[in-house]
Structure formats: structure tokens, C-alpha cells
Amino acid sequence: MQRRRFLLLIVTALVLSASLGYAQWRRRNSDGPIYYTEGGDMVDVRTVKTAREIASHSTGTPEWKYPEGFSRDVFTFVRIIRDRDPYGSPSAGSWITDFPDSDLNLSFRLQQMTSIKVEPNGRILRLTDPDLFRYPFFYMGEPGALLLHEDEVANLRRYLLNGGFLMADDFWGEWQWDCFAEQIKRVFPDREFVELPMSHEIFHCVFDLGTDKSKLQTPNERLGANSKYTGVPWERDVQRDGSYEECTEMHVRALYDDKGRIMVLATHNCDNGDAWEREGEDDYFFHEFSEKRGFPLGINIIFYVMTH
């Protein structure tokens, strides 16, 4: 009997230890403060503050300067550092996907094609960083396994209700959508996403993007380049039952505040990040996806947000 009780105490202690260890693992997302870009460069989020500090892993990124005297009036592309739910879709990526090339390339095109003056270095921030409230726009890449902690939920709600804007991009299939939508539901339990019609001003404010939403869909660069031969400009994603979903239908969904202002915009079944990141890797991909779809849509979204 004493031996049995002793074994029970040992098992209980091991279970408690494992539970605490798992909770800590969830909090630091296994990688802790160290992440790696697709080019293999280490990003220590305790010290790295901007996209410019990290080497390009594609074809290089442009450099530019804004005119003197505009330091308080420039637009800054902010990417959010966030954790990944281990129970989410296994094909959903990390916050660092496409970084830093996509951030810097889109920032340059925005500066080049509009009157907006743009910060040439960008920023990366956590949702709990006090600096977040200095910036009206932030981008969340591959949020298909998004995990928000309680302090992040509260801060994100406050940020969005105070005029901030979130763009979520590059996630595919219903499993990834459900995971993202469930986390945003924790932020706004009483609000629902609305599909934007192609008549909405966001599709026409700088570039007139036509009337067919499917013509705005961008897959990853490899599939996009091959679509010249396959005719398939979309990705497929694993579902909860192990089957694969052909993600043929692009969605642009918005979450509004009480005054009708868009707080969250989600480009689902679309990889704008690759359109920005890999613009120089393949001529067909550039002309068909970066030039016609990814850059015009990204610029329209930012321009609309900054003027509404």
C-alpha cells in the first residue's frame, strides 16, 4: 500500500511538472526570443527592432530616404510578433514568414506610387509593447494558428477601439480561418466579420482592381510561377480530418467598429506577402501577381486606412 501511494505521488508530481512545462512552452512558443527567417538569419526579438536590421533572403530590398522634416508624419509598416497555437493547423506558419523582404518592398512601393512618406526601416512589435500605440497600422502574417494571450487580447481590443488597424494575410482553408476568427472573437465577442463586395472603395481608391475578387488571389511564389503552365493560382491546405481543401475562393473580410470604420481586414486564401517579398525572383510571377495583384491591393488597403 505504501509503495502504491509513493508511486502515485511520483506520477502526480511528473504530471504537474509536465503541465507547468507545457504552459511555459506555449507562452514562449518553443523558440523563445529566437526565430529564423526563410534565409536562415537569426532574429532575436529582444534586440531586433526593425526589418532593415535583417538581411534579405530574396533578391534584395531597396533603400530610400524621406524628405527632412517629415519624421513625425511618415507611415511605418509594423509587423506583429505573436505566438503559435500548437493545436492549430500544422501547415500554418510563423509570424516571421516573408520577413523582412515583404515589409521593405511594400514600404518602398507605397512611397514610390503614392504621396505617402514612408519610414524605410519598418518595425516589429509584440501586441503588449507600449510603442504599438504610436502606429495606426500593423500586419499579421500567417495567422492561421494564432494564439493570443490574455494581456494581448486586452491590449489589442484597446488598440483597435482607439483607431488602430490590423491587416491579417497569408492563411488558407477553413481550419486556419476558424483558428484566426476564434482568437479575434475573444477580442470582440459581439462583432462578426463581413465579406467586402468588390464595389467597396478599398478596391478602387488608388488602383481600380476590377470586379472579380478571384483576380486578386496570389499563391506562394512557386505555385504562382508554375500557374503559367498549370492554370492554378491558389493553394491547398490540410483540414482537421486529414483531407486537403482546394482554396480556390479568395475572401476579403472586415471587422467594423460602431462608427463603420474597418478595424480588422483579413485577406484569406491569399498570400500577398509572397507577392511583395519575391517580386524579383520570377518574371511571370512579378507581372501576374506582384504587379497586378499584391502591390495594388496592399497599397489600396494602406491608403484607405490612412485616409479613413
Side-chain angles (χ1 to χ4, degrees):
M1 181 66 71
Q2 288 181 340
R3 178 181 175 85
R4 191 175 299 171
R5 287 177 179 173
F6 177 74
L7 289 174
L8 181 60
L9 287 172
I10 293 294
V11 170
T12 302
L14 288 172
V15 169
L16 287 173
S17 177
S19 298
L20 288 171
Y22 177 68
Q24 291 172 351
W25 177 83
R26 279 171 64 93
R27 180 60 182 169
R28 65 177 184 269
N29 196 32
S30 78
D31 289 329
I34 306 297
Y35 298 83
Y36 291 88
T37 69
E38 292 162 84
D41 290 292
M42 184 182 76
V43 177
D44 185 337
V45 297
R46 295 168 300 186
T47 58
V48 173
K49 302 298 183 185
T50 72
R52 188 65 65 184
E53 296 169 61
I54 305 302
S56 165
H57 59 262
S58 184
T59 54
T61 53
E63 296 187 14
W64 70 97
K65 294 181 179 180
Y66 52 79
E68 291 185 14
F70 278 88
S71 60
R72 293 180 178 272
D73 301 309
V74 294
F75 170 83
T76 301
F77 186 98
V78 176
R79 177 182 289 259
I80 287 299
I81 306 162
R82 43 85 188 170
D83 287 345
R84 187 185 186 285
D85 187 347
Y87 295 117
S89 168
S91 58
S94 165
W95 69 269
I96 203 170
T97 302
D98 303 335
F99 178 81
D101 299 66
S102 64
D103 308 35
L104 298 176
N105 286 340
L106 177 61
S107 295
F108 173 71
R109 296 298 185 184
L110 181 66
Q111 163 102 0
Q112 180 187 49
M113 297 183 183
T114 72
S115 60
I116 298 175
K117 305 304 178 187
V118 183
E119 161 63 45
N121 298 318
R123 283 297 308 271
I124 57 171
L125 294 169
R126 288 196 178 274
L127 288 171
T128 50
D129 193 315
D131 276 357
L132 181 67
F133 288 83
R134 295 176 53 198
Y135 305 104
F137 169 102
F138 73 79
Y139 175 84
M140 188 178 286
E142 294 228 20
L146 175 63
L147 175 64
L148 295 176
H149 303 288
E150 290 301 328
D151 52 353
E152 294 174 324
V153 169
N155 219 42
L156 179 56
R157 179 181 176 87
R158 187 161 67 95
Y159 169 83
L160 294 173
L161 288 176
N162 277 278
F165 174 87
L166 157 62
M167 176 181 178
D169 176 53
D170 190 11
F171 56 127
W172 298 78
E174 290 309 305
W175 188 358
Q176 292 195 31
W177 171 260
D178 289 345
C179 182
F180 170 74
E182 286 167 8
Q183 293 296 302
I184 299 300
K185 197 71 172 175
R186 294 172 59 206
V187 182
F188 292 111
D190 56 339
R191 300 179 192 272
E192 302 292 338
F193 278 97
V194 175
E195 183 80 31
L196 290 188
M198 284 302 297
S199 59
H200 193 280
E201 185 184 351
I202 208 166
F203 299 111
H204 309 280
C205 56
V206 178
F207 297 95
D208 191 344
L209 298 179
T211 57
D212 189 346
K213 197 172 291 182
S214 66
K215 296 298 183 182
L216 298 180
Q217 188 176 43
T218 296
N220 64 58
E221 186 274 336
R222 178 181 57 81
L223 289 175
N226 289 337
S227 70
K228 179 179 181 180
Y229 310 103
T230 64
V232 178
W234 60 78
E235 297 184 22
R236 59 201 299 259
D237 196 70
V238 66
Q239 297 304 291
R240 288 182 174 87
D241 62 2
S243 64
Y244 279 87
E245 175 188 353
E246 297 291 332
C247 306
T248 59
E249 187 175 357
M250 179 180 170
H251 298 280
V252 181
R253 297 176 173 129
L255 199 70
Y256 289 90
D257 69 8
D258 291 338
K259 296 180 179 180
R261 179 186 66 87
I262 297 177
M263 297 186 292
V264 182
L265 190 75
T267 51
H268 179 232
N269 289 345
C270 186
D271 187 354
N272 289 295
D274 253 32
W276 309 333
E277 172 197 22
R278 302 186 180 276
E279 63 164 88
E281 294 186 15
D282 179 86
D283 188 66
Y284 177 77
F285 183 78
F286 171 75
H287 289 296
E288 182 61 32
F289 296 100
S290 301
E291 185 178 45
K292 291 181 181 178
R293 309 183 190 204
F295 280 124
L297 181 57
I299 289 169
N300 273 22
I301 290 170
I302 293 172
F303 185 88
Y304 178 86
V305 168
M306 297 302 292
T307 55
H308 290 74

